[in-house]
Amino acid sequence: MKIHREGKNILLIFFIILALLNLPVYLWIKITWLAYLIHAASIIFFFLVVNFFRSPKRHFKGNPKNAIVAPADGVVVVLEEVLEDEYFHDKRMQVSIFMNIFNVHANWFPVAGKVIHVSHQQGRFMAAYLPKSSTDNERSTVVIKAENGEEILVRQIAGAVARRIVTYAEVGDTCDIDEHMGFIKFGSRVDLYLPLDCDIKVALHDKTIGDLTEIARLK
């Protein structure tokens, strides 16, 4: 299993801290069951963090032309027509994917094309599944001009625990659906704002797999 580059330093720090905590337990705690319990808890905690930073290699298996692919693992928590008032200032179809701490937290580009806008907004850290997190939480916005000329907005949103959004996309980049767009640390969500006439392929509460689940098709 490959570890994402965003997790390597964090895992090293956690490993050192847990080793320093467990060494005196091994040397000085004479209550065997208590020492075993602390060791076991430390190992489980470390592997949960390892699991969070895993980075599976994926390749979209469908027809990439006009495809909009899930930018993240998770569950569809919003699927509705909304007014997107930060960039488009018009109505769009919003598809939101909520990621829990057990999901892969790498984010993929949802569509092939060219990055034409990147911005970061400061904000709150409400639970990411709440509707107002899309507009009130800290977030990064990336707009991609797809190969057919349509503009697709994807927004990384911080949650109550996830307070570190990493965005690799830069204006002028050519992007592909098999490439990482960024990473969000420790639970969050990703919103997509799509043209109203696109053909939606998912339903509310569907599970998604980043870079594999087809979300919609452009006309």
Side-chain angles (χ1 to χ4, degrees), residues 24-203:
V25 170
Y26 175 77
L27 294 175
W28 298 325
I29 293 182
K30 302 304 179 183
I31 305 173
T32 304
W33 66 267
L34 180 58
Y36 285 164
L37 181 63
I38 294 172
H39 295 326
S42 298
I43 292 170
I44 291 170
F45 174 77
F46 182 75
F47 278 102
L48 284 174
V49 178
V50 170
N51 182 70
F52 176 86
F53 284 107
R54 68 195 186 277
S55 181
K57 187 173 180 60
R58 294 174 180 169
H59 179 75
F60 180 58
K61 296 179 174 61
N63 179 7
K65 185 177 181 180
N66 294 332
I68 302 172
V69 182
D73 289 12
V75 176
V76 177
V77 293
V78 176
L79 182 59
E80 62 183 4
E81 182 180 318
V82 300
L83 175 64
E84 199 292 309
D85 207 25
E86 287 187 20
Y87 179 84
F88 291 118
H89 305 289
D90 64 12
K91 290 185 177 181
R92 297 278 155 164
M93 182 61 69
Q94 179 181 344
V95 181
S96 298
I97 298 169
F98 175 72
M99 296 176 285
N100 64 39
I101 61 171
F102 299 107
N103 291 131
V104 171
H105 273 63
N107 300 148
W108 285 262
F109 286 103
V111 64
K114 185 175 183 178
V115 177
I116 60 172
H117 172 87
V118 178
S119 62
H120 183 87
Q121 294 83 30
Q122 299 295 328
R124 301 170 64 185
F125 295 99
M126 296 186 295
Y129 57 81
L130 295 174
K132 286 185 72 64
S133 66
S134 290
T135 55
D136 291 3
N137 278 20
E138 182 166 341
R139 57 205 179 275
S140 286
T141 300
V142 177
V143 180
I144 304 158
K145 178 170 281 190
E147 292 170 341
N148 73 344
E150 292 278 10
E151 293 183 2
I152 306 299
L153 187 153
V154 55
R155 182 168 289 144
Q156 300 169 285
I157 300 171
V161 179
R163 300 192 175 216
R164 180 75 170 93
I165 298 172
V166 181
T167 305
Y168 305 138
E170 295 183 0
V171 173
D173 286 351
T174 299
C175 59
D176 186 77
I177 53 179
D178 289 331
E179 297 173 346
H180 282 175
M181 185 189 76
F183 195 95
I184 313 179
K185 298 180 180 180
F186 298 110
S188 45
R189 72 188 261 175
V190 177
D191 290 352
L192 287 167
Y193 291 88
L194 310 176
L196 294 179
D197 63 351
C198 68
D199 184 14
I200 301 295
K201 301 293 187 180
V202 293

